[in-house]
Amino acid sequence: MSAVPERRQRLLRVMGVTPWRLRLGEASTGSASRPANDEPALAGDRVPCVVILPAAASGREQDLIGRALRAFGPATARAARLEAGERGLGEVPAAAAYLVFGEAQARALGRDLPAAVMSAAHIVLVDTPAAIVADPAAKRRLWNGLRALGRALRGA
């Protein structure tokens, strides 16, 4: 029976998928959340891209962001998406690049990400999803940011 979970973990790793468990809180579980494969994250284990979104994005805003990320290829389409809430981001996976929607989310990323990981990563800051939906200039800045992100991911 143990061969099935090992095979699943191996297949997920080959596909570039990093499974994560929902963190319920240290008080209820007794330990901090970890990747679902229960292995410690190694310094060389980095996901290609992580997207940081505000917690209160509407369905229309999320749809626009999803279509824009899919348009720039599989690395951005499959990127892990984290929401910055009142308590910050929590545990942020190490990544080669971060796409951050809004200054408040950038501050949350700066608080929760170790300095060594932040200095090694390419961070692209774009407008909030609400501004992107309402302002054509914000939409242009999103496309320019996605182009820069694509160049960074190809170079990594």
Side-chain angles (χ1 to χ4, degrees):
M1 294 270 291
S2 67
V4 173
E6 291 172 8
R7 181 175 186 274
R8 179 179 183 273
Q9 293 301 324
R10 189 179 75 245
L11 289 173
L12 288 174
R13 234 179 270 126
V14 168
M15 290 188 295
V17 176
T18 305
W20 289 84
R21 289 185 185 151
L22 178 64
R23 180 160 66 176
L24 300 173
E26 293 186 31
S28 63
T29 61
S31 64
S33 70
R34 296 180 66 172
N37 59 7
D38 290 332
E39 296 174 3
L42 302 174
D45 289 343
R46 294 190 320 170
V47 295
C49 182
V50 173
V51 177
I52 311 293
L53 295 164
S58 71
R60 182 177 178 204
E61 295 165 355
Q62 290 179 358
D63 185 46
L64 177 100
I65 299 305
R67 283 184 283 140
L69 293 174
R70 283 190 304 272
F72 275 85
T76 56
R78 295 182 191 136
R81 298 176 192 182
L82 301 176
E83 291 185 349
E86 298 170 354
R87 298 185 334 217
L89 292 168
E91 190 172 330
V92 181
Y98 295 91
L99 179 62
V100 184
F101 287 88
E103 290 183 24
Q105 288 70 31
R107 284 192 293 275
L109 180 66
R111 279 191 305 271
D112 295 339
L113 198 63
V117 175
M118 186 178 292
S119 67
H122 187 80
I123 300 173
V124 177
L125 176 63
V126 295
D127 295 297
T128 61
I132 292 169
V133 167
D135 185 17
K139 198 174 289 187
R140 279 191 297 275
R141 287 189 291 270
L142 170 64
W143 289 112
N144 290 335
L146 284 170
R147 280 190 209 110
L149 185 70
R151 285 190 297 270
L153 290 174
R154 279 190 298 276

